[in-house]
Amino acid sequence: MVVSARATIRPPAPSKIKILATADELFYQEGIHTVGVDRIIAGARVTKATFYKHFRSKDLLIIAYVEGRDRQVREWFAAQERETDDPKAIARALVDSINAEAVRPGFRGDPFINAAAQFADENHPVRVAVTAHRDWYAKHIEELFRQIGHPRPGDAADDLILARDGALAGGYVGDPIAAGAALHRALDRILAEA
């Protein structure tokens, strides 16, 4: 009898899921360095022993937080690509999604930039996880523009990511509607070059 790999993978323990969900909310809303392990333990309603069973250190929890956010972005792209094979539609949906996020109550900017800003050492594991996400994201956006037929897909990806970063920052500290409109205009200009 052959057992598939999928059948042998156990889902994460409910306590681990609660810890991650609590950390995700608190780290994003209040900042990684501001939130201590005891606060996460209290918020998740787990014991200290349970916390340390799943995460030997706060840094490992922070990395899991960044990787969880990365997984959400990858899953978003995978869902879009299952829905349509039109790369322009995916690019427009991406910008619409970014705009929807920026006007959501409790929006605090880009979680990856926020995490990176709290760790000055670019070799720190959290920064490495953020860089891995941003590298993947840039390659994915570049491939999207390659599929669109943009003559310089790498430049187009750089332009859109810079506009995205600016829109997320502007949406947090300024006018999210204006930032979203600017991001839409940036995408329209990039698509017009294709």
Side-chain angles (χ1 to χ4, degrees):
M1 175 177 172
V2 176
V3 177
S4 73
R6 183 182 289 282
T8 61
I9 298 174
R10 293 181 4 192
S15 56
K16 185 174 185 177
I17 293 169
K18 287 194 303 186
I19 292 166
L20 283 168
T22 302
D24 184 86
E25 180 181 339
L26 292 174
F27 286 164
Y28 183 70
Q29 290 298 316
E30 299 179 23
I32 292 168
H33 285 316
T34 340
V35 177
V37 168
D38 289 339
R39 182 111 182 272
I40 293 166
I41 289 168
R45 296 185 176 161
V46 298
T47 65
K48 195 171 272 205
T50 299
F51 176 88
Y52 284 107
K53 173 183 155 191
H54 295 298
F55 301 99
R56 291 186 319 271
S57 69
K58 182 180 175 185
D59 278 356
L60 291 176
L61 177 61
I62 298 165
I63 293 164
Y65 158 70
V66 171
E67 289 173 345
R69 290 288 179 139
D70 172 70
R71 199 168 28 263
Q72 290 173 10
V73 174
R74 290 175 191 249
E75 288 170 359
W76 183 91
F77 274 103
Q80 294 300 311
E81 290 160 1
R82 281 191 303 274
E83 245 178 64
T84 182
D85 59 359
D86 178 1
K88 283 186 181 178
I90 294 171
R92 291 191 187 287
L94 176 62
V95 167
D96 290 343
S97 173
I98 293 165
N99 287 339
E101 183 67 16
V103 296
R104 178 183 59 76
F107 176 70
R108 299 284 183 265
D110 180 71
F112 300 99
I113 293 172
N114 293 349
Q118 295 185 57
F119 293 88
D121 178 5
E122 65 187 33
N123 295 313
H124 188 282
V126 172
R127 285 286 298 270
V128 170
V130 169
T131 300
H133 165 76
R134 291 200 43 108
D135 289 348
W136 174 86
Y137 190 82
K139 286 182 177 80
H140 206 79
I141 300 295
E142 181 177 352
E143 180 56 32
L144 193 64
F145 284 120
R146 186 171 286 109
Q147 292 171 11
I148 289 169
H150 196 283
R152 294 176 317 283
D155 291 349
D158 290 345
D159 291 348
L160 183 63
I161 292 168
L162 183 62
R164 171 208 174 269
D165 290 350
L168 290 174
Y172 177 47
V173 299
D175 180 350
I177 304 299
L183 180 59
H184 271 100
R185 288 191 304 272
L187 177 61
D188 289 343
R189 281 192 294 273
I190 294 167
L191 290 176
E193 297 168 356

